[in-house]
Amino acid sequence: MTQAHLTPTPGRPAQGRRVRVIPTLLIDRDGRLVKTVKFGKRTYIGDPINAVRIFNTKEVDELVLIDIDASADGREPPYTRIAEIASEAFMPVAYGGGLVTEDQIARSIDCGVEKVILSGALAQGTDLISIAARRWGGQAVTVCLPVGHNWRGRQQVRLRQGKKPLKNDLDTVVARVTEAGAGEIIVYAIDRDGTWEGYDTDLCARVAAATSLPVVACGGAGQVAHFREAVAGAGCDAVAAGSLFIYQGKGRGVLISYPAQDRLRTQLYAHLP
């Protein structure tokens, strides 16, 4: 199992603690590991279980596993695949994709995941967040907010592969998710996904300022310095990334990897406020 890390002060990074650095694994409707760019173009990577086995050797804090087709297809989560992947992981796994009922959450947790990630269910409001938080505790409920822009250039939460915008503005959504009892929020910048350009720190800071919950930056990480910008500069409590942990570099081949703890200590932890 991974080394223990100190409990964060909700909503802000605590001085001297280890920040969670989380690989994000995306699977498609066939259970294959894929990588996207701006929620569009997909590249087939391989078997997610092979990636998990490599991460087992790297002192990874936790894994995020998302079925990117389940909600769009209107189907159940792939319980067998979830159980296969969770059983291989030596670290906590958070699963998201196709979770719109309490029973689906229960079955996913029975598959061995420690957290569920709710996103598509927001189309129906925040009731499911409250139900899940009451039954399993807020620490088991993460909400992912994929954020893009509307035709006016305003930021908005966009569900189902970025194609379904919510009517409420971003700050209202964040407030309602917080009030509903979620344990943390993943801010997934659609326009940065797979670009290696760095996190949308303005977006991350906006969400961090609007909630008392821990905020996880996602979308765009291309180097460890981007982690530092999200935490020290934007007030995030954790960082998640896909391409950085899957490819050798931008435009280069697949190489499942994770920064060594010595590198994280010198390039990330040592620079935190």
Side-chain angles (χ1 to χ4, degrees):
M1 298 294 292
T2 56
Q3 298 175 2
H5 50 269
L6 301 179
T7 301
T9 300
R12 296 295 177 269
Q15 185 175 3
R17 74 178 180 88
R18 287 183 64 217
V19 172
R20 289 174 294 148
V21 177
I22 307 167
T24 300
L25 302 181
L26 308 180
I27 58 174
D28 65 9
R29 58 180 55 87
D30 297 316
R32 307 179 307 169
L33 180 62
V34 297
K35 188 64 194 79
T36 59
V37 177
K38 297 183 179 182
F39 282 30
K41 177 185 176 183
R42 299 183 185 185
T43 300
Y44 168 67
I45 303 299
D47 186 341
I49 290 179
N50 290 336
V52 170
R53 288 171 177 166
I54 294 172
F55 288 135
N56 283 341
T57 69
K58 303 291 186 180
E59 294 188 87
V60 172
D61 294 303
E62 63 186 77
L63 288 176
V64 161
L65 174 68
I66 300 177
D67 183 324
I68 59 176
D69 291 323
S71 292
D73 292 347
R75 60 172 168 79
E76 294 269 330
Y79 303 112
T80 300
R81 194 59 163 154
I82 296 169
E84 290 173 347
I85 294 170
S87 67
E88 289 287 342
F90 292 172
M91 71 292 291
V93 176
Y95 170 76
L99 295 169
V100 293
T101 69
E102 183 179 359
D103 179 65
Q104 290 170 341
I105 294 173
R107 291 185 64 183
S108 297
I109 290 175
D110 287 345
C111 288
V113 302
E114 280 74 17
K115 300 178 184 179
V116 291
I117 302 171
L118 302 181
S119 186
L122 289 173
Q124 306 303 321
T126 58
D127 288 350
L128 187 61
I129 297 173
S130 298
I131 291 169
R134 285 195 298 268
R135 179 169 175 181
W136 290 281
Q139 77 285 346
V141 183
T142 296
V143 172
C144 180
L145 301 181
V147 179
H149 295 83
N150 64 15
W151 63 275
R152 294 180 177 176
R154 295 179 181 174
Q155 292 174 326
Q156 62 180 173
V157 177
R158 303 183 67 88
L159 309 176
R160 291 181 173 82
Q161 301 174 352
K163 298 173 183 176
K164 182 177 178 58
L166 290 184
K167 293 181 180 180
N168 291 318
D169 63 76
L170 176 60
D171 293 338
T172 299
V173 174
V174 171
R176 291 183 177 177
V177 165
T178 303
E179 293 168 0
E184 68 181 356
I185 296 174
I186 297 174
V187 184
Y188 203 149
I190 296 173
D191 293 342
R192 299 295 182 98
D193 175 48
T195 66
W196 300 76
E197 295 174 356
Y199 297 110
D200 186 335
T201 52
D202 289 341
L203 168 62
C204 291
R206 176 180 176 181
V207 174
T211 183
S212 59
L213 299 178
V215 173
V216 183
C218 188
Q223 53 185 296
V224 173
H226 292 152
F227 299 160
R228 186 167 67 245
E229 293 169 0
V231 178
C236 291
D237 298 84
V239 292
S243 297
L244 182 60
F245 301 141
I246 289 174
Y247 295 116
Q248 298 181 56
K250 187 174 183 180
R252 301 174 65 184
V254 173
L255 177 65
I256 307 299
S257 64
Y258 188 82
Q261 289 300 316
D262 285 345
R263 183 181 175 196
L264 289 175
R265 276 191 290 270
T266 58
Q267 298 185 21
L268 177 58
Y269 309 145
H271 298 274
L272 298 186

